[in-house]
Amino acid sequence: MVMTSSIKNKIKKLTTSKLFISCFFFCFLFLAGSYSVQVEKILFFYSCVCFLFLPVDESFYFFLFTRSFICSNIDICQSTFNAFVFIFIVKYIFGLIYKDYKINKNFLIILICFLLYSCIITMFYRQSNNYEVIFYFPLFYLLFVLKDKINFRKALDFLLIGVLTSVALSPLCLILPSFSYNCFLNSRYHAFHGNPNRLYMKTIFLLVSYSVLFLRKELAGFKFISIYVILSALTILTLSKTGILMLILFSFIITIIYLKQDFKNHIEYVLYAILGLLVISLIFQNQIFTIIQRFTSSNNNSLNSLFTGRLDIWIDYCKQIFKNPITLLFGRGIFAKYAYIFEQDLARAPHNLYLYLIYFYGVVGIVFIWMMIREIFVNRQGFKFSFLNFLPLLYLLLEGLFDNIHTSFNIPMFAIAFAFLFLKNNPKKEELKE
């Protein structure tokens, strides 16, 4: 019995070391890729090899880690996402994950009908490469089939490790003159994410998720305060108005819930968090001043300026949707072009999850999507709604009002947010130790 236990521990340490070695070598190739385009192809091939040969749970953790590095290259980011899901599906079908695998026939039928429906609608419009949604629902389905095999707490940790590692390596942009990656976009920090919005979406999601673990007493107080302060600082560096508003909103919600649990004993950690934010404010005075200017600038006299041009985009998409009942009902298909904004030859993404769904899939497509989500959750044991566990998903749904939260850059966060919904409301002490 003791021998078996020690062997299991050795195997666990060995597989964990393989995961960390894979992540380390990925960082090495990524840095080498800044000097050669050919290395980026090797980086993609290396990622696929890791997806194939790492255990199913560790391949998912590795995938989350890499999301913080390759977002700056859209082609590689999308290609690695598609490759990961494809390998995941192949592993499942050929029984590499479960020998006695079972496929939910209802989900498969709905998915095929949805894809056929979208492709048929697409035939009437111009083609483009907006097809990434094809891979979303199979990924969600498999992750929930394998929920006993994948530790979503560990997945959250590797998403955080990826963000912090990319931040730690980003000063190389300033130190090495021949380094091709740039960690700033118009003075807005993004590490290697290519866009500040992609960075703050992760920082706020991680902040909210770890806050839930802290409120569930599954995370030590000072460890949470450290994570909270670091993620808040990174959000400020992005100079994002939406990011700052989300930071304030969810900090307020989390504080209210925390003080409501036990005001006398919990006020101490609230004061520590406030002290940490004050220190951040002193260190990043220039960035905070810039953010205030972005809100109060004379250029922000109109609502459109306040929403950084998004309002005109939303209005134009609404016109495109409602001027044609066919578009409202059936959408334009998964391969459809983005709408042409302001009657110019410029295709712009809607920057709104809900307009995106209606524009591309219509009311009928949304019904298909709802049926697939319902099928993923059907007959799941232990589900009991909790507002606290709902917070990570609530953030993503609110973020969907202002940005392209549906892209492959962010979609893995939805899987983690859905996993939070199934957390037990009163976890046992044994579970907390794990």
Side-chain angles (χ1 to χ4, degrees), residues 152-164 202-221 223-229 231 254 258 388 391-392 416 420 423:
F152 281 94
R153 166 65 190 276
K154 195 171 182 180
L156 190 68
D157 290 339
F158 268 88
L159 185 63
L160 175 65
I161 292 170
V163 170
L164 296 182
K202 285 181 182 174
T203 58
I204 298 296
F205 175 76
L206 287 166
L207 187 149
V208 174
S209 299
Y210 279 109
S211 297
V212 172
L213 294 177
F214 172 64
L215 292 171
R216 288 169 51 85
K217 298 179 174 57
E218 297 181 41
L219 187 66
K223 184 177 180 180
F224 166 70
I225 295 297
S226 301
I227 293 174
Y228 176 83
V229 171
L231 294 176
I254 291 160
Y258 186 56
L388 180 60
L391 285 178
I416 298 175
F420 265 86
L423 292 176

Side-chain angles (χ1 to χ4, degrees), residues 417-429:
F418 281 126
F420 265 86
L421 294 175
F422 291 90
L423 292 176
K424 296 178 182 178
N425 291 334
N426 296 306
K428 298 178 182 178
K429 292 182 179 179

Side-chain angles (χ1 to χ4, degrees), residues 4 13 17 25 30 37 73 137 241 256 277 336 347 356 404:
T4 305
K13 288 181 180 178
S17 63
F25 197 63
F30 174 79
V37 177
N73 189 317
F137 296 103
K241 291 191 287 186
I256 294 299
L277 291 176
Y356 172 88
N404 302 317

